[in-house]
Amino acid sequence: MSDTDSTIEIQVLPSLDAIPATEWDACACPEAADGFRPLDPFTTWRFLKALEDSGSVGRGTGWHPSYLVARQAGEAIAVAPLYAKHHSQGEYIFDHSWAHAYENAGGAYYPKLQMAVPFTPATGRRFLARPGYEAIGVGALAQGAVQLAVDNEVSSLHVTFCTPDEAEAGRQMGLMHRRSQQFHWENAGYESFDGFLAALSSRKRKNIRKERATAQAFGGTIRQLTGDQIQPEHWDDFWHFYQNTGSRKWGTPYLTRAFFDIAQETLRDDILLVLAERDGFNVAGALNFIGRRSLYGRYWGMVEHHPCLHFEACYYQAIDYAIEHGLETVEAGAQGEHKLARGYLPVTTHSLHWVADPGFARAIGEFLQAESEAVDEEIEILTSYGPFRKSPQEEQT
């Protein structure tokens, strides 16, 4: 089948129990039908279901599943991870100032609708259409989400960390386009970590070598684990690391302990777990998810502080893995200009927004225009301070 003008029905599902994994994934990750990895694991049925079954989303979390399914002649042609939100936590493209201004003007900003992967600042498709249904599927999901917002009298709809193509399609449909930035490492066909270092300026290259040597001297070993190498007891340790970081950054960690137990059962092939072990105990770790083309750094934590171990476990081990496995990029998560000196350059990220109140929508549109110009300037300035050699003639020793 292909795009047609047949009637499309939009369903709203309160749980992924209402749709088979094969039906959802035929839209979310059709590229994985060949048995290889999806482009990213975050919109797969298994990942979103792990969030749901673990209680990381749902009752009491402020993230209430309202998954969209577009059906044509009874067949699912497109799906979307949509949530009713009662706060703005766990989004990473934040609208706190919008909420404050809206409520100061006498409006109720919450609830709102969020089309996103909870707690996951990784770019990927949000309008998930089966091959051959891309145009009609994206249009149906966008219109369905806006209509759901109107019917339920919510303030707004937000589509975060969407792809550039989705951002352009949404803009043409009348949604407001927001541009932000984060830091990614790009693989220029490096054969080894030393090949990557050779592309850097002498000073930055020496600094990274020094940091790696300092980290490796912490008194233990650093291991990369994936698939069946990951054992249930590893999650006991990582839970302590995650709680330590989560309590400092967010007050309460977003993921529940049960998420990691489910991850062991259904997601471990999607995971790269970096653990630092000293005297028989794991003292620090970094959790990454593996896509077809990218490695996604997600969480880091530790119970002992050791100089430079954070940089090694999160950034350099990720680069090592990406080079060895031929991945194109490493997405190191949100924020962090300290990533720049370690080879992660600023890139543009995208989101789409719809606001019910016309006056408030105009004000946000003006803000986004000014913000976009500032993002362009910031990316240009930050890139100029990057660690890479400015010319082939620059000294390489």
Side-chain angles (χ1 to χ4, degrees), residues 93-238:
I93 294 178
F94 291 117
D95 58 351
H96 297 299
S97 61
W98 301 1
H100 184 68
Y102 200 89
E103 291 169 358
N104 278 349
Y109 193 72
Y110 304 109
K112 63 178 183 176
L113 294 181
Q114 192 84 21
M115 191 180 293
V117 178
F119 330 122
T120 307
T123 292
R125 292 191 307 137
R126 298 294 175 258
F127 302 96
L128 308 168
R130 291 179 56 194
Y133 293 89
E134 290 85 356
I136 195 171
V138 170
L141 290 173
Q143 293 174 28
V146 170
Q147 190 61 52
L148 185 65
V150 171
D151 291 346
N152 288 275
E153 299 182 342
V154 302
S155 70
S156 51
L157 163 70
H158 309 268
V159 183
T160 45
F161 292 101
C162 59
T163 68
D165 288 345
E166 288 177 326
E168 177 58 23
R171 188 187 65 79
Q172 292 185 14
M173 285 186 282
L175 301 179
M176 293 182 287
H177 178 204
R178 188 177 191 183
R179 300 168 71 252
S180 306
Q181 64 93 7
Q182 60 182 202
F183 295 88
H184 296 177
W185 178 86
E186 295 188 3
N187 188 350
Y190 304 118
E191 295 184 358
S192 65
F193 195 92
D194 282 341
F196 157 61
L197 289 181
L200 307 184
S201 68
S202 175
R203 183 170 63 87
K204 296 297 185 183
R205 184 165 55 252
K206 291 177 180 176
N207 183 67
I208 288 177
R209 284 175 174 156
K210 181 178 179 181
E211 286 185 345
R212 297 206 78 176
T214 299
Q216 295 285 351
F218 80 104
T221 59
I222 298 174
R223 297 176 295 158
Q224 295 183 358
L225 307 175
T226 189
D228 290 341
Q229 296 171 324
I230 303 173
Q231 297 299 309
E233 58 266 25
H234 293 141
W235 297 114
D236 293 330
D237 294 332
F238 191 79

Side-chain angles (χ1 to χ4, degrees), residues 245-303:
T245 300
S247 61
R248 285 187 290 107
K249 285 189 173 183
W250 316 303
T252 301
Y254 295 135
L255 300 175
T256 66
R257 177 64 181 85
F259 174 85
F260 299 101
D261 291 332
I262 296 172
Q264 174 66 19
E265 296 300 317
T266 65
L267 297 170
R268 65 180 183 271
D269 288 339
D270 299 318
I271 288 172
L272 170 68
L273 188 61
V274 177
L275 292 176
E277 179 184 330
R278 192 173 73 89
D279 296 332
F281 297 96
N282 292 314
V283 299
L287 175 62
N288 306 265
F289 282 83
I290 309 166
R292 181 173 290 206
R293 300 173 186 165
S294 299
L295 185 69
Y296 301 90
R298 290 304 302 114
Y299 300 108
W300 145 267
M302 50 81 180
V303 292

Side-chain angles (χ1 to χ4, degrees), residues 1-2 4-11 23 70-78 130 133 136:
M1 294 182 66
S2 60
T4 73
D5 293 328
S6 300
T7 300
I8 296 177
E9 175 192 4
I10 298 294
Q11 295 179 316
E23 195 170 26
R71 292 189 179 275
Q72 189 176 69
E75 183 178 37
I77 63 168
R130 291 179 56 194
Y133 293 89
I136 195 171

